[in-house]
Amino acid sequence: MSAKGLVCVVLAAGSGTRMVSATPKVMHQLAGRTLLGHVMATATSLETSGVYVVLRHQKEIISEYLTKSYPAAIQVEQDEIAGTGRAVEVSLSKIPADFKGDVLVISGDVPLMDTQTLTDLVAAHRSGKASATILTALLEDPSGYGRIIRGSDGQVAKIVEHLDATEAELAISEINAGVYIFDASDLRQALSKLQSHNAQGERYLTDVAALLVEGGHPVMAEIVSDNWLVHGINDRVQLAEVAKELNNRICKAWQLSGVTILDPESTWIDVQVTIGQDATIHPSTHLRGLTSIGANAEVGPSVVIENSTVHEAAKVGPFAYLRAGTDLGKSGKIGSFVETKNAKIGTGSKVPHLSYVGDAEIGEGSNIGAGTIFANYDGVNKHTSKIGSFVRTGSQNVFVAPITIGDGAYTAAGTVVRKDVASGELGMNVSPQRSIADWVINKRPGTTSAEAASKNKSK
Ligand code: UD1
Ligand code: CA
C-alpha cells in the first residue's frame, strides 16, 4: 500500500439483538471461526498502522477472545451513546491526533469480506481522491440494509437506513455494505456534527455521507463484484445462509486442488482444515478446527474429525468420531463406530471396529481387536495407555490405564488388561470355560433349541 497512513476500525459493539442469544453475535461460529475471527483475519492481513476493535455489549467475552487471538489489536470501549457513528468516533479518540491518513471501517458481522476487496477499495479511494468511499452492492432483496441515494448527477448524496426509508427509497437496490474508507480529518469533522434524529435514535455512521457531501467533500461508491462478500449477519437465518455459501466455496476450492468430495452439500469443512491431493471425502463428513487430512487418505461416510491429523493413505470410517488430538499414522485405519481422543496411532496400525481409544499411544503395525475400550478415566484423573508395535490385541479387551503392552505382544479375547504385558508375551485373565452337558434338553424342554439338540443327540 502507498505511503499514506491507514488504520482499520472493526465495529463489534452492537447488541446483536436479532440473534436472540446469550453469546455475543460476533462470537457465533462460522466454519470453525467466530464471525469476528473471520473479520480479524482479514483486517490483520492488511498493511495498517493499527486495527482498532470497538466493543461494548458483552465486552468481557469478546475482549478475552481478542487478547488471546489478536493481542496486537487495540480494543476500544464504546460508551452508552449508541450507533455505528459513535463507535467510530470513540475509536478515533484513540487514534493519534496527528494521524493524517485514511480510516477503513469494517463490520464484525460481515464475515466473508476479503483482503482483495478491501485492498481494491483503498486503491480506488486514493486514486479517486474522494473524502470517503463506500462499498456498495446491488441486491435483488435489499431489505434490512441501508440504501444508497444518488443525486441527479449520479453521485452519492446520502445513505438512508431501511427503517428510515420512504417507499421510493426502499425500492432502491443499491445498498451500503457497511465497509467504508474515510479521510481521517474529514471524518473527524463530520462525526462531530452527527445527530440521532432517526427511527433508532442512534448516531449513524451512515449519516456521515450526507454531511461530507453537504460540506463539499466528494463521496464515492464502489460496487462490489461478489455480493456474498458483503452479506451481513444479523440473525441465525443469515448465519446459516452464509455458512452454506462459505462451505460451498471451501469444498469447491479443495475439489479444484485435487481432493475428491463426493457430496459437497453434506460435507462440512472448516476454514483452517488442510487436505492432501487425491484424498477422498465421502458424504456426511465434518472436518473441524485445525484438522489435517493427508494425501490419498479416505474419510467417511458419516465421520466427524476435530482438531486431528490423519496421515497419508489412512482410512477413517464409515461412522467414526475422531476427537481432539487424534493422530492416525500413514496407512492406518480407524473403522466403524470407533471414537478416539488424544490418541497417537502409528503407521499402518488399525482400530477397525466398535472401540474407544482415549489417551493412548499405539506403535506401528498393531491391530486392536473389535470392541476394545481404553479405560483412561479413573473417575478423577485421566491416564495413558501405551501399546507397542506389531501388537495383536484380542477382541473385547479393556485396557485399564496406565498400562503398557510391549512390542509384538498379544492379548487374548475378552481380557481386562490390568497389568503390563511385556514384549512377546500373551496376556490373558479369562476364567476357564465350563460347559454343562444336556443343559438345554433338561432345562428348556419343548423349545426349538432343545428339539435341535435332541436331533443331534440321536444321530
Ligand atoms: C449497518 C448500516 C447499514 C448497512 C449494514 C451493512 C448503520 C447505521 N447502518 O446496519 O447501512 O447496510 O450495516 O451490513 O451503520 N455496532 C457498534 N456500535 C453500535 C452499533 C453497532 O459497534 O452502537 C456494530 C455492530 O456490532 C455491527 C456493526 O456495527 O458489527 C453494524 O451494526 P448493526 O446493528 O448490525 O447495523 P445494521 O442494521 O446491519
Ligand atoms: Ca449488521
Side-chain angles (χ1 to χ4, degrees):
M1 231 157 262
S2 86
K4 203 175 177 197
L6 182 70
V7 295
C8 182
V9 173
V10 178
L11 303 183
S15 57
T17 324
R18 291 164 278 183
M19 292 301 275
V20 196
S21 178
T23 302
K25 172 166 77 176
V26 296
M27 293 299 285
H28 277 256
Q29 293 283 324
L30 173 69
R33 247 187 203 152
T34 61
L35 298 184
L36 185 58
H38 284 274
V39 173
M40 290 304 292
T42 304
T44 53
S45 74
L46 300 167
E47 258 179 63
T48 67
S49 55
V51 174
Y52 295 76
V53 188
V54 192
L55 308 177
R56 184 187 57 203
H57 182 77
Q58 290 181 301
K59 67 172 191 306
E60 293 78 13
I61 301 173
I62 306 174
S63 174
E64 191 188 322
Y65 165 75
L66 284 172
T67 305
K68 196 168 140 247
S69 306
Y70 293 95
I74 302 139
Q75 300 178 24
V76 182
E77 196 180 330
Q78 189 175 345
D79 52 18
E80 65 289 345
I81 302 172
T84 47
R86 182 60 182 172
V88 173
E89 203 174 6
V90 294
S91 62
L92 276 182
S93 70
K94 300 281 183 216
I95 294 167
D98 60 353
F99 176 75
K100 286 283 181 292
D102 294 314
V103 181
L104 178 68
V105 178
I106 61 180
S107 282
D109 66 349
V110 181
L112 302 190
M113 182 43 53
D114 65 2
T115 307
Q116 190 60 52
T117 304
L118 295 179
T119 311
D120 291 349
L121 184 71
V122 174
H125 172 76
R126 287 178 176 174
S127 67
K129 302 207 180 334
S131 182
T133 305
I134 306 165
L135 189 68
T136 70
L138 300 168
L139 300 188
E140 236 167 77
D141 175 15
S143 55
Y145 291 95
R147 307 299 205 282
I148 304 294
I149 315 297
R150 290 176 182 263
S152 49
D153 55 356
Q155 298 300 305
V156 175
K158 60 177 178 174
I159 303 172
V160 175
E161 286 307 288
H162 184 103
L163 290 175
D164 301 304
T166 62
E167 271 311 278
E169 288 166 341
L170 287 177
I172 295 171
S173 63
E174 186 176 16
I175 62 99
N176 165 30
V179 173
Y180 336 69
I181 178 162
F182 301 94
D183 172 80
S185 328
D186 293 351
L187 177 62
R188 271 186 213 276
Q189 271 190 15
L191 284 171
S192 68
K193 296 182 212 148
L194 269 192
Q195 302 287 325
S196 51
H197 308 310
N198 52 56
Q200 300 186 84
E202 293 186 356
R203 296 178 70 145
Y204 291 164
L205 178 61
T206 46
D207 288 345
V208 163
L211 288 169
L212 288 173
V213 172
E214 282 157 23
H217 301 287
V219 174
M220 293 197 326
E222 278 286 301
I223 302 174
V224 78
S225 50
D226 176 357
N227 288 343
W228 277 106
L229 302 189
V230 304
H231 209 106
I233 293 179
N234 297 316
D235 59 36
R236 299 190 208 219
V237 175
Q238 291 168 325
L239 178 61
E241 286 166 358
V242 169
K244 196 169 168 59
E245 177 61 23
L246 177 56
N247 189 61
N248 282 340
R249 291 179 182 215
I250 293 171
C251 285
K252 204 170 189 174
W254 285 119
Q255 287 173 315
L256 294 174
S257 67
V259 174
T260 298
I261 298 176
L262 283 88
D263 181 24
E265 290 276 304
S266 72
T267 304
W268 290 85
I269 303 175
D270 283 353
V271 272
Q272 285 169 296
V273 170
T274 62
I275 313 177
Q277 194 183 320
D278 288 318
T280 300
I281 313 296
H282 292 279
S284 295
T285 291
H286 300 245
L287 304 178
R288 296 179 181 156
L290 287 170
T291 286
S292 142
I293 307 294
N296 297 304
E298 197 165 344
V299 178
S302 298
V303 162
V304 177
I305 305 183
E306 293 170 354
N307 297 315
S308 292
T309 302
V310 170
H311 291 273
E312 205 183 319
K315 283 193 162 63
V316 181
F319 305 105
Y321 182 19
L322 277 57
R323 291 162 54 201
T326 298
D327 187 299
L328 177 61
K330 185 177 170 187
S331 305
K333 178 174 180 165
I334 293 175
S336 306
F337 307 105
V338 174
E339 176 177 334
T340 61
K341 184 216 77 177
N342 187 28
K344 189 166 166 47
I345 299 169
T347 300
S349 284
K350 298 189 163 99
V351 187
H353 330 275
L354 301 152
S355 295
Y356 172 64
V357 183
D359 299 309
E361 281 173 35
I362 301 174
E364 61 178 281
S366 289
N367 192 85
I368 305 302
T372 293
I373 302 295
F374 283 67
N376 57 330
Y377 185 43
D378 64 12
V380 179
N381 295 306
K382 300 279 168 74
H383 302 278
T384 302
S385 299
K386 289 188 176 146
I387 312 281
S389 294
F390 306 100
V391 169
R392 298 283 177 269
T393 71
S395 294
Q396 198 126 31
N397 281 189
V398 178
F399 290 103
V400 182
I403 196 113
T404 302
I405 311 297
D407 289 347
Y410 274 52
T411 59
T415 303
V416 177
V417 187
R418 296 179 190 278
K419 284 196 259 169
D420 290 355
V421 180
S423 179
E425 286 182 349
L426 167 68
M428 60 188 298
N429 58 11
V430 185
S431 51
Q433 180 175 325
R434 200 176 135 221
S435 299
I436 304 171
D438 294 335
W439 187 92
V440 176
I441 291 169
N442 294 331
K443 300 286 190 186
R444 298 290 182 269
T447 63
T448 48
S449 306
E451 204 181 308
S454 303
K455 238 186 230 165
N456 261 348
K457 215 181 149 131
S458 59
K459 267 185 198 160

